Amino acid sequence: MKTTALKKILSLIGLTIISLMVAVTTGHAQEIPLVGFLLGGRAVGDSTQTPVSLVGIRFTGECPGEQVASTRARFFSKSTRPAPELRAIVKNVTFGFAGEQKPFTDREYFGGDVSERFEVRFGDRHQGKFLAVQPGENQFEYEIKRGNQSIETGKFSASFEEQTLERDRGSKLVWRETKRCRRYKEKRCVDEEVSGYYERVCQG
């Protein structure tokens, strides 16, 4: 009886190990880095990890155009949890950016486990609220601050790749109406002129 029970225990242990190996191989289990970005539920902070895909769209058909490849992200650090009055500043110090300053984002860092959300997209210089990145490995420096006091500083890296989807896009005519009052009586319009035009608008 003891031998049978021992065999069952060993069998269960073996199945658990195999399940963990499969999970890691298929990406269902992940070792979260000490610091980095959270993008769509995936934590990145090590360039040896699989590159993050930024997906753009190329529209064809009646309404051609492009949607820039981008994704939403949040910063996190296991060493310093978000707290009141904290902010996280992340700067992309990768070589090759144009302009006088490196791309950066300055986000609130006081609730939950991560920072305020921001947009990551490909670019060759700092552009407003977007954190510009380059295809391939990117190097980042960060600082967590409370006012002028520096709480934590450090570095991490992440890799990015671009994917472009092609999608057919149609258009439709939309009536744009304008109104103009030609004559008022006792502060009320008694003679209104209505005109307008059709405008072709992209769908989707």
Side-chain angles (χ1 to χ4, degrees):
M1 293 294 291
K2 289 184 179 180
T3 304
T4 303
L6 183 60
K7 285 183 177 179
K8 287 183 178 180
I9 292 171
L10 290 174
S11 177
L12 288 171
I13 292 172
L15 287 172
T16 302
I17 293 171
I18 291 171
S19 299
L20 287 172
M21 290 175 66
V22 170
V24 171
T25 305
T26 57
H28 293 299
Q30 178 192 10
E31 184 178 344
I32 298 176
L34 293 177
V35 63
F37 295 139
L38 189 67
L39 310 101
R42 177 187 170 192
V44 296
D46 181 352
S47 62
T48 61
Q49 295 173 313
T50 305
V52 176
S53 294
L54 302 190
V55 181
I57 301 175
R58 181 184 298 114
F59 294 105
T60 60
E62 292 181 339
C63 210
E66 290 188 356
Q67 181 176 302
V68 177
S70 66
T71 190
R72 294 176 176 177
R74 297 178 187 270
F75 168 81
F76 70 90
S77 172
K78 288 184 177 180
S79 301
T80 303
R81 291 292 303 276
E85 300 180 1
L86 291 187
R87 298 192 70 86
I89 300 94
V90 181
K91 181 183 294 186
N92 190 340
V93 296
T94 308
F95 176 80
F97 285 107
E100 296 181 357
Q101 63 180 358
K102 291 288 190 178
F104 73 93
T105 184
D106 184 345
R107 301 283 96 185
E108 294 176 347
Y109 190 65
F110 59 71
D113 299 314
V114 293
S115 76
E116 179 185 9
R117 191 170 58 191
F118 55 93
E119 293 276 338
V120 175
R121 72 179 185 185
F122 290 118
D124 63 355
R125 65 183 67 235
H126 179 68
Q127 297 176 330
K129 64 180 181 179
F130 298 99
L131 178 62
V133 298
Q134 299 177 358
E137 184 177 345
N138 287 247
Q139 304 292 330
F140 300 95
E141 293 181 354
Y142 72 92
E143 182 178 17
I144 299 174
K145 301 178 68 175
R146 177 179 286 113
N148 294 324
Q149 180 187 6
S150 182
I151 306 297
E152 180 186 343
T153 61
K155 299 178 181 180
F156 65 96
S157 60
S159 293
F160 299 88
E161 63 180 8
E162 184 171 9
Q163 290 187 5
T164 302
L165 304 178
E166 197 166 282
R167 182 180 300 171
D168 185 76
R169 182 168 65 172
S171 63
K172 62 180 179 180
L173 291 175
V174 177
W175 174 253
R176 304 296 190 189
E177 190 173 86
T178 59
K179 296 180 180 181
R180 182 178 69 88
C181 187
R182 290 184 292 201
R183 186 165 63 89
Y184 288 90
K185 184 176 181 180
E186 297 179 357
K187 298 182 179 181
R188 294 180 59 187
C189 182
V190 294
D191 185 5
E192 186 178 63
E193 178 185 34
V194 179
S195 62
Y197 61 94
Y198 281 101
E199 180 182 6
R200 187 166 294 279
V201 177
C202 295
Q203 294 180 306

